[in-house]
Amino acid sequence: MNQKTFTIAVLGGDGIGPECTSATVEVLKQIETTLDGVRFEFEEHLVGVGEYLRSGIALPDSTFDACKNSDAVLLGAMGIPSVRYPDGTEIAPQLELRERLQLYGGVRPIELFHANDTPLKNYDTGQIDFVLVRESTEGLFSGRDATFSPDANEATNVMRITRHGADRVCRLAFEVARKRNKKKHVTLIDKANVLSAMVFMREVFDEVAKDYPDCTSDHCYVDAAALFMVRDPKRFDVMVTENMFGDILSDLAAGLVGGMGMAPSGDIGVDAAVFQPSHGSAPDIAGQGIANPIATMLSAAMMLEWFEHDETLRAAKTLRAAISKVLADPNNRTPDMGGKMKTRQITQSVIDALES
Ligand code: ATP
């Protein structure tokens, strides 16, 4: 068999980012020992607040080029509230990375691993299971650089939806529904009763839906979607929405299955992909060894699937099975989920489950 090497750029970033990525790399190295003809080459790169304070540049060109030239990027988290650019905004090279690599679709699977992890009544393992696809290059975030003078009486941000941007993210959502092969149902989350940009996105979505006759589709206003996610999350299979709505609903979705430490994400582009947990750098717990690395590990499983190699697809299944096995015992939890385990201990449990 030909040897295949996947180069993975590892960007630990800030706060708990490096703790979660190093735990995940350890797990990936264990998996690598079981693969036939596949190797991983991990390359660590500097990025984020530390780099900004050192050199004045949060995303150095060398790091960007390495991300562009690697097979995938595994990213921790970036930015901390106490370090900001002169205009008051946080250091957020992940947004720059998304825009420059055209990572247009944030794919965020939400899965319940144990009944104890959800605040909802009567939901058991596997009964919350949907994917949120967030447009990541335009929408309300596209106007984030808008400046205003100190004596201004108003400030405006614009929600920008382009045909190209809406078309590709809607297509991605239908592709995700096909690959999941569960309900094969895609829901557009919009606000088409109020915002004309959302009417436009709905038109594009309906056009794209025609190309997926094996899938069903519908629309839901974002406010109603927030209610339904809490009252009846089973109604959703794949949801697709604009950038800001997706940002907010991702956190709500994570809250249904145990919090940010359980929410993985894959930022998918045309030629590149970045895999990272949905959570931020959590500076309040950084350095204490108690960060929950599961979201990063689940993001790594998404990365293995994205490689679309028989061996890495098998590895993704093995990794998911190991995580499920560990989480089947409700005592195996870090403090964010009410448990007592340290990052090190839960990582070792996943490695032990992989070995068994
Ligand atoms: P961002 O704006 O970058 O998404 P945020 O400020 O919204 O970040 P997060 O850092 O994602 O917030 O998380 C909020 C809080 O949730 C953290 O301060 C931390 O207490 C907790 N948290 C998030 N992720 C984890 C994790 N992996 N393990 C443990 N606790 C976490």
Side-chain angles (χ1 to χ4, degrees), residues 172-285:
L172 176 65
F174 280 98
E175 294 293 338
V176 169
R178 259 189 189 162
K179 263 204 186 125
R180 266 166 70 77
N181 202 16
K182 292 187 175 171
K183 291 185 201 156
K184 293 218 263 182
H185 184 77
V186 184
T187 306
L188 173 71
I189 309 300
D190 64 26
K191 193 68 186 168
N193 51 337
V194 176
L195 300 170
S196 53
M198 296 274 89
V199 175
F200 179 65
M201 188 163 185
R202 193 179 271 213
E203 280 171 15
V204 176
F205 174 82
D206 289 342
E207 273 305 307
V208 170
K210 289 182 193 157
D211 290 340
Y212 294 85
D214 54 322
C215 298
T216 53
S217 64
D218 66 352
H219 324 108
C220 183
Y221 297 138
V222 63
D223 43 345
L227 177 75
F228 291 142
M229 282 167 74
V230 173
R231 290 190 61 170
D232 183 21
K234 278 190 198 142
R235 70 189 289 145
F236 296 115
D237 180 27
V238 176
M239 308 156 88
V240 59
T241 191
E242 75 85 36
N243 209 339
M244 182 72 169
F245 293 172
D247 186 39
I248 297 167
L249 292 182
S250 296
D251 279 29
L252 170 56
L256 299 176
V257 294
M260 299 310 291
M262 295 299 289
S265 162
D267 282 338
I268 308 298
V270 184
D271 303 313
V274 175
F275 296 87
Q276 64 180 117
S278 297
H279 61 75
S281 62
D284 53 330
I285 57 158

Side-chain angles (χ1 to χ4, degrees), residues 50-68:
E51 195 48 26
Y52 174 72
L53 292 175
R54 198 186 64 80
S55 68
I57 301 170
L59 179 63
D61 284 344
S62 56
T63 300
F64 178 76
D65 290 343
C67 291
K68 216 170 131 190

Side-chain angles (χ1 to χ4, degrees), residues 6 12 17 26 60 71 101 106 125 160 186 189 204 214 248 252 267 294 312 337:
F6 290 99
E26 217 181 307
D71 291 298
L101 289 176
T125 311
R160 178 170 180 261
V186 184
I189 309 300
V204 176
D214 54 322
I248 297 167
L252 170 56
D267 282 338
I294 297 293
T312 63
M337 297 179 73

